[in-house]
């Protein structure tokens, strides 16, 4: 059924019911002179089928009556049983004076006891919902302002991956990492797992002595390896940014404020690949305002990490699949760094508002890449991003093309697409073009400052826009156009069109080769960069003959490409055209990489034919034990 977005218009005035910020622990933002105060009036409207603005449909928590402000974790990492065991102390504040119950999110947790002021208190763990987990309701004594929960995780916790020594690069020690976004923090900590609840945190993590623990918090590279590690995150962050990794980790500095953690074997390669991180940090600060998190380090994970990167504050988690040897895939670093502003400092209040995180971040990513690597790189990446967006526009149902997407009743993991990313970025580029880059940069600077350490809804963003850019540039911008971008499917007519001269030669070469005018070895590709290769491959027709494929492969050794993105594009073409010489590489690829963006399209393409499905089943069966729970969940449907 098509659910109409009645939410625009009258309801757009509905503010978050007072839970958008954690005033106790966040400093109130200094308001720049040009920015007027924004109406935050509250009205709660609940009409059937109308999205309640600011309501988090993916959390059982009750921050509108009691909100958690600080977490103190004490966890032991038990690699033998694949569990985290310990306590979570939650400090809270009553929003409603007489509130008597604290409601938390959990998933597959065993709750041993809950105490307040040293005494056991009653708690009730509700029935489990298939993707939301189970609400945990705790009775709170009138004078308590914190509870301590003793618990342990399940070995199948959706937000934790336990790797055996064989699944690591060094093969000697086990490895553990968490991935909390969107709603998996609850699978390793009982908490209010909603992005509109921000908390500071402290943690004590107990590990086998020879391993090092790191978190999205203060990390001490030179800390003695004694198996007990202390962390503190003094800025209030949402639960989805809490992260932990444990392994045989080593550290290498890259700059004054930047460095890299990884297993020893890839440390030097990672530090070389990402050596521009410090420059990116400096350039971003200069344009978009001060970096709020002190250090910016990278943690390079084993290849099973299900994402390209995750913006865990102070310590982005990064897939090793982008270590290409030539910095060709470092836009990922720019992206995770940019989240330090858009996402970690200004945060989406609900998962419907994800585009505020990812769209702004994608826009900033392009800008950072332009500042560090120049116009040509920027233009090529913008064209490739636009093409990814078009592929989704062409294949997704209309409702899923809406930036402020209705996620009620849906698992956020199932709705991952380019819409919040590339459509969001294209929208911001249009605003930039209309008001001019300098003015738009001023706007962004003010936005990050105004909403610093707040979680905001799409509707709050629109109101802010109305009182800033829309007012100042009323001749150039209209609210109607902005609402079209945010609440309608498709791409508005007249949207910016990214172009790259560097791709014209590629189009020419591809066309000539396809028309049979030239052989592959006559393509003048010596100077082509990775982006040109991607553009060359991604724009091939669906069907290519075996001769054509062999000609390409023989000339450019594509099956053996060391660049994981090029290999991905080539393997996808190979599956669609049943080009068997690539199938051994395909199998190796699927069984050694767990990054969903790279493996899912391959499984999907394989699943389209009976013999493809058999190959998919074989690879999946072999790889499954080493895949992250999210990668298993995203792909198991293709091998049934
Ligand atoms: N925050 C996201 C990852 C994410 C989004 C996890 C939504 C769960 C739910 C991260 O910053 C991201 O966007 N990663 C991309 C990077 C790419 C767009 C450069 C990825 O992993 O591919
Ligand atoms: Zn992102």
């Amino acid at each position: 059924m098509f659910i109409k977005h009645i939410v625009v218009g009258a309801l757009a005035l509905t503010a978050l019911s007072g839970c958008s910020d954690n005033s106790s622990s966040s400093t109130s933002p200094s308001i720049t002179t040009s920015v007027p105060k924004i109406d935050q009036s509250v009205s709660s409207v609940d009409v059937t089928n109308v999205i309640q603005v600011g309501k988090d449909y993916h959390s059982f928590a009750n921050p509108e009556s009691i909100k958690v402000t600080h977490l103190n974790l004490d966890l032991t990492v038990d690699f033998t049983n694949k569990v985290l065991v310990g306590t979570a102390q939650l400090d809270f504040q009553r929003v409603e004076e007489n509130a008597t119950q604290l409601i938390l999110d959990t998933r597959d947790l065993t709750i041993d006891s809950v105490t307040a002021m040293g005494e056991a208190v009653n708690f009730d763990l509700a029935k489990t919902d298939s993707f939301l987990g189970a609400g945990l309701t705790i009775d709170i004594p009138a004078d308590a302002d914190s509870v301590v929960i003793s618990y342990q995780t399940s070995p199948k916790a959706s937000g934790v991956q336990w790797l055996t020594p064989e699944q690591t690069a060094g093969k000697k020690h086990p490895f553990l990492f968490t991935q909390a976004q969107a709603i998996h923090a609850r699978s390793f900590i009982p908490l209010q797992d909603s992005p509109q609840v921000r908390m500071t945190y402290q943690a004590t993590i107990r590990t086998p002595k020879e391993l090092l623990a790191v978190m999205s918090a203060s990390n001490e590279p030179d800390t003695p390896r004694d198996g007990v590690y202390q962390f503190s995150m003094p800025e209030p962050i949402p639960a989805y940014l809490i992260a932990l990794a444990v392994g045989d980790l080593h550290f290498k500095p890259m700059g004054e404020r930047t460095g890299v953690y990884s297993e020893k074997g890839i440390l030097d390669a990672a530090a070389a690949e990402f050596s521009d991180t410090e420059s990116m940090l400096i350039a971003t600060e200069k344009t978009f305002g001060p970096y709020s998190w002190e250090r910016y380090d990278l943690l390079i994970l084993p290849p099973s990490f299900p994402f390209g990167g995750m913006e865990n504050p102070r310590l982005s988690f990064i897939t090793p699949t982008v270590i290409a040897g030539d910095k060709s895939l470092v836009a990922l670093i720019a992206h995770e760094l940019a989240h330090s502003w858009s996402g970690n400092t200004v945060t989406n209040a609900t998962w419907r508002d994800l585009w505020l995180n990812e769209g702004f971040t994608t826009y900033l990513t392009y800008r950072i890449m332009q500042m560090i690597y120049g116009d040509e790189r920027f233009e090529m990446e913008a064209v490739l991003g636009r093409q990814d967006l078009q592929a989704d526009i062409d294949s997704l149902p209309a409702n899923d093309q809406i930036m402020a997407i209705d996620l009620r009743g849906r698992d956020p993991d199932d709705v991952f697409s380019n819409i919040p990313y590339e459509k969001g970025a294209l929208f911001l580029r249009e605003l930039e073009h209309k008001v001019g880059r300098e003015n738009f940069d001023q706007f962004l600077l003010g936005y990050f400052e105004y909403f610093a350490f707040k979680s905001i809804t799409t509707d709050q963003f629109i109101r802010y826009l109305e009182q800033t850019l829309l007012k100042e540039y009323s001749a150039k911008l209209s609210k109607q156009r902005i609402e079209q971008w945010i609440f309608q499917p498709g791409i508005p007519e007249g949207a910016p069109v990214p172009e790259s001269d560097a791709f014209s030669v590629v189009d020419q070469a591809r066309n000539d080769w396809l028309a049979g005018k030239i052989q592959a070895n006559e393509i003048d590709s010596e100077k082509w960069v990775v982006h040109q290769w991607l553009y060359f491959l991604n724009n091939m027709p669906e069907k290519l003959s075996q001769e054509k494929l062999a000609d390409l492969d023989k000339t450019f050794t594509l099956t053996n490409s060391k660049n994981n993105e090029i290999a991905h594009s080539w393997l996808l073409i190979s599956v669609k055209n049943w080009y068997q010489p690539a199938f051994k590489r395909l199998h190796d690829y699927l069984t050694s990489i767990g990054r969903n963006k790279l493996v899912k399209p391959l499984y999907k393409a394989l699943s389209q034919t009976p013999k493809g499905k058999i190959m998919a089943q074989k690879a999946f069966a072999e790889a499954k034990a080493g895949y992250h729970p999210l990668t298993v969940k995203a792909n198991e449907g293709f091998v049934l």
Side-chain angles (χ1 to χ4, degrees):
M1 189 186 60
F2 183 77
I3 296 165
K4 206 161 164 273
H5 281 266
I6 326 168
V7 82
V8 234
L11 284 185
L13 285 172
T14 316
L16 275 176
S17 8
C19 44
S20 64
D21 75 295
N22 215 337
S23 33
S24 66
S25 45
S26 71
T27 43
S28 60
S30 57
I31 298 163
T32 50
T33 42
S34 62
V35 179
K37 189 114 187 73
I38 284 169
D39 183 356
Q40 300 279 344
S41 61
V42 176
S43 80
S44 52
V45 186
D46 194 0
V47 185
T48 315
N49 228 6
V50 173
I51 302 172
Q52 256 183 282
V53 172
K55 179 175 163 61
D56 188 344
Y57 289 96
H58 296 95
S59 170
F60 294 111
N62 62 338
E64 67 289 344
S65 64
I66 298 191
K67 63 180 180 188
V68 170
T69 57
H70 181 75
L71 159 73
N72 195 347
L73 268 185
D74 188 329
L75 292 178
T76 297
V77 180
D78 176 350
F79 277 104
T80 310
N81 297 304
K82 299 191 173 171
V83 293
L84 300 169
V85 196
T87 56
Q89 176 182 328
L90 301 174
D91 300 345
F92 53 79
Q93 268 185 355
R94 288 178 177 73
V95 180
E96 284 169 1
E97 223 178 295
N98 300 320
T100 57
Q101 290 188 322
L102 170 66
I103 308 176
L104 305 176
D105 293 293
T106 73
R107 178 187 292 131
D108 298 326
L109 296 182
T110 306
I111 308 294
D112 296 320
S113 69
V114 185
T115 61
M117 300 185 299
E119 303 277 326
V121 295
N122 287 333
F123 64 91
D124 177 61
L125 194 58
K127 214 173 117 246
T128 300
D129 176 275
S130 66
F131 65 89
L132 297 178
L136 172 65
T137 303
I138 299 171
D139 291 342
I140 303 294
D143 39 1
D145 57 9
S146 95
V147 288
V148 179
I149 301 161
S150 297
Y151 73 100
Q152 76 174 54
T153 60
S154 154
K156 61 176 201 318
S158 60
V160 185
Q161 189 178 15
W162 299 87
L163 296 174
T164 62
E166 300 72 51
Q167 292 163 336
T168 67
K171 313 276 178 217
K172 284 210 183 76
H173 299 281
F175 200 104
L176 153 113
F177 66 87
T178 65
Q179 165 58 42
Q181 196 181 12
I183 53 170
H184 300 286
R186 64 192 66 177
S187 75
F188 56 95
I189 310 171
L191 39 55
Q192 293 186 316
D193 193 5
S194 167
Q196 55 195 255
V197 179
R198 308 181 77 98
M199 71 204 106
T200 50
Y201 82 82
Q202 276 166 286
T204 303
I205 305 294
R206 301 164 199 278
T207 73
K209 267 202 183 60
E210 61 281 12
L211 303 184
L212 180 65
V214 291
M215 290 193 84
S216 55
S218 54
N219 286 290
E220 269 307 321
D222 299 324
T223 189
R225 285 195 180 212
D226 56 5
V228 184
Y229 303 101
Q230 310 277 358
F231 302 93
S232 152
M233 167 44 80
E235 310 295 350
I237 60 167
Y240 80 87
L241 293 176
I242 298 175
L244 166 69
V246 179
D248 184 14
L249 292 170
H250 296 265
F251 177 77
K252 184 162 180 170
M254 296 189 291
E256 217 173 289
R257 282 181 290 172
T258 54
V260 59
Y261 290 87
S262 75
E263 287 190 75
K264 220 174 203 140
I266 52 164
L267 191 57
D268 288 337
E273 192 82 18
F274 307 133
S275 64
D276 297 325
T277 309
E278 186 90 19
S279 322
M280 290 182 179
L281 173 59
I282 293 166
T284 316
E285 271 193 311
K286 218 164 154 189
T287 318
F288 301 109
Y291 179 74
S292 314
W293 308 88
E294 288 184 25
R295 287 195 57 82
Y296 182 71
D297 293 318
L298 306 174
L299 169 67
I300 315 304
L301 291 143
S304 68
F305 186 59
F307 289 100
M310 177 64 212
E311 65 270 28
N312 299 315
R314 292 185 187 219
L315 184 66
S316 286
F317 283 23
I318 302 293
T319 173
T321 62
V322 292
I323 303 177
D326 58 3
K327 300 187 178 179
S328 55
L329 306 178
V330 298
L332 176 78
I333 306 300
H335 179 99
E336 303 314 333
L337 170 69
H339 271 306
S340 305
W341 285 259
S342 41
N344 300 2
T345 300
V346 181
T347 306
N348 52 212
T350 76
W351 298 115
R352 171 179 183 242
D353 310 303
L354 178 71
W355 77 274
L356 289 175
N357 278 15
E358 299 300 345
F360 276 69
T361 294
T362 303
Y363 173 81
L364 292 188
T365 305
Y366 288 129
R367 295 290 305 278
I368 297 169
M369 294 306 286
Q370 185 176 30
M371 291 190 281
I372 305 299
Y373 301 102
D375 290 345
E376 188 163 281
R377 173 95 175 238
F378 162 74
E379 284 157 10
M380 289 190 296
E381 294 192 342
V383 172
L384 291 173
R386 182 65 184 82
Q387 293 201 328
D388 289 344
L389 173 59
Q390 195 57 43
D392 278 357
I393 297 283
D394 293 342
S395 62
L396 290 173
N399 280 339
D400 287 1
Q401 300 174 21
I402 293 170
M403 287 193 332
I405 188 172
D406 181 5
L407 287 179
R408 288 175 299 171
R410 297 177 76 180
D411 182 345
D413 289 342
D414 298 341
V415 197
F416 200 80
S417 84
N418 284 300
I419 301 298
Y421 289 78
E422 296 292 345
K423 187 174 169 184
L426 200 61
F427 164 53
L428 296 179
R429 188 165 318 140
E430 174 170 301
L431 293 179
E432 179 210 312
H433 287 178
K434 291 206 167 149
V435 307
R437 180 167 280 192
E438 258 182 56
N439 298 326
F440 191 60
D441 286 354
Q442 270 312 106
F443 164 78
L444 287 175
L445 201 80
Y447 167 79
F448 292 134
E449 191 178 331
Y450 187 77
F451 289 116
F453 300 104
K454 303 249 184 271
S455 302
I456 69 166
T457 61
T458 297
D459 303 75
Q460 275 174 294
F461 166 74
I462 294 174
R463 265 179 289 142
Y464 183 82
L465 208 56
E466 278 184 286
Q467 298 182 34
T468 53
L469 281 191
L470 268 168
K471 212 176 236 169
E472 274 173 79
Y473 301 95
S474 54
K476 295 180 173 161
L477 304 174
S478 83
K479 186 167 181 209
Q480 193 199 350
R481 173 90 178 170
I482 283 155
E483 288 183 341
Q484 184 185 356
W485 272 103
I486 297 175
F487 298 110
Q488 298 297 321
I491 307 294
E493 216 168 294
V497 180
E499 278 169 4
S500 159
D501 288 343
F503 286 165
S504 316
V505 288
V506 179
D507 281 327
Q508 184 68 48
R510 192 193 314 98
N511 290 339
D512 289 350
W513 176 76
L514 284 170
K517 287 190 202 158
I518 54 170
Q519 295 286 304
N521 62 14
E522 292 167 89
I523 296 176
D524 185 11
S525 64
E526 215 150 284
K527 294 204 185 79
W528 283 10
V529 295
V530 167
H531 300 78
Q532 288 171 300
W533 281 110
L534 291 173
Y535 182 76
F536 180 70
L537 294 174
N538 293 351
N539 292 285
M540 285 292 172
E542 277 286 298
K543 288 287 157 215
L544 284 171
S545 70
Q546 297 297 309
E547 294 70 38
K548 282 280 193 208
L549 292 165
D551 184 27
L552 281 185
D553 201 11
K554 176 177 91 239
T555 314
F556 304 122
T557 56
L558 292 165
T559 294
N560 293 321
S561 174
K562 292 199 171 52
N563 185 291
N564 286 309
E565 294 273 359
I566 293 179
H568 170 84
S569 294
W570 174 247
L571 291 174
L572 201 54
I573 290 174
S574 300
V575 172
K576 289 180 179 166
N577 291 284
W578 205 251
Y579 176 64
Q580 298 189 42
F583 286 177
K584 180 172 182 317
R585 175 78 201 275
L586 174 64
H587 183 83
D588 293 346
Y589 194 92
L590 290 173
T591 51
S592 63
I593 293 177
R595 181 180 174 190
N596 238 321
K597 186 189 139 193
L598 297 180
V599 299
K600 191 175 164 186
L602 294 171
Y603 276 119
K604 189 174 175 197
L606 281 169
S607 74
Q608 306 297 309
T609 63
K611 50 186 182 171
K613 191 168 250 185
I614 292 169
M615 279 174 59
Q617 283 163 339
K618 193 160 163 271
F620 191 80
E622 200 177 299
K624 189 176 173 192
Y627 279 156
H628 186 278
L630 283 175
T631 304
V632 172
K633 187 170 80 163
N635 294 290
E636 60 193 358
F638 296 127
V639 296
L640 289 179

